[in-house]
Amino acid sequence: GCTHLDHIDIQQRKIQLKHIQEIFQNINETKPIILTGDFNALNREDYTDSQWNVLEKIADENNWNQPSFGDLLQLTSDGFIDSGTINSPTMFTAPTSEPKYRIDYLWTKNSPSIEINCLSHQVDTNISFSDHFPICVDLEFTCKNARL
């Protein structure tokens, strides 16, 4: 699946994530899930204190809400794995003019019979046809119940 979540309100993102989880609930009984897109959500662990302070300063200067986090915990608590935390340092995706935010993600969730492993996760800073850089991910699918 692919999504673009609300860019202002963390509560709206939580509601949107709940709807996504409900849609995928029955599918995941037989198939693995790949969920990607612009989540407009921050994971505090992706930022050093000084990087987080910069985000707070940008919010102040633009009269925006202060940066918040926690909405993505809905996915991790439901068994989703953030491919950006596997085998790679945090790379920011937005804005392309001077990336300071990681708001674009690829999440995976194994099914009972198929496991998804992220082999690599990169941000391609050579492609700039949007205000976000794309993420490029190599995935490996393994059948858990292979019969010989």
Side-chain angles (χ1 to χ4, degrees), residues 25-146:
Q25 188 172 6
N26 292 331
I27 294 171
N28 192 236
E29 292 176 9
T30 58
K31 297 180 175 85
I33 296 172
I34 299 171
L35 177 62
T36 190
D38 178 352
F39 285 74
N40 281 307
L42 306 176
N43 183 359
R44 181 61 179 93
E45 289 78 30
D46 290 336
Y47 302 86
T48 64
D49 289 341
S50 62
Q51 290 170 327
W52 193 260
N53 291 339
V54 168
L55 301 186
E56 291 175 332
K57 183 179 178 189
I58 291 170
D60 284 339
E61 291 171 353
N62 290 285
N63 232 6
W64 296 342
N65 293 333
Q66 284 295 305
S68 57
F69 60 93
D71 38 344
L72 297 175
L73 293 174
Q74 283 181 232
L75 293 176
T76 56
S77 67
D78 194 26
F80 282 85
I81 299 168
D82 175 6
S83 69
T85 62
I86 309 295
N87 301 324
S88 63
T90 298
M91 295 186 69
F92 303 130
T93 58
T96 54
S97 58
E98 193 175 347
K100 290 181 175 53
Y101 300 90
R102 178 175 180 240
I103 55 177
D104 302 283
Y105 297 84
L106 185 133
W107 295 85
T108 62
K109 186 174 181 183
N110 297 331
S111 73
S113 60
I114 299 174
E115 182 177 295
I116 305 173
N117 292 307
C118 179
L119 303 178
S120 70
H121 179 276
Q122 301 173 13
V123 175
D124 190 339
T125 58
N126 295 313
I127 300 175
S128 59
F129 53 81
S130 167
D131 60 332
H132 299 231
F133 287 120
I135 55 175
C136 301
V137 180
D138 287 320
L139 300 174
E140 175 183 68
F141 297 80
T142 305
C143 185
K144 293 181 186 177
N145 302 323

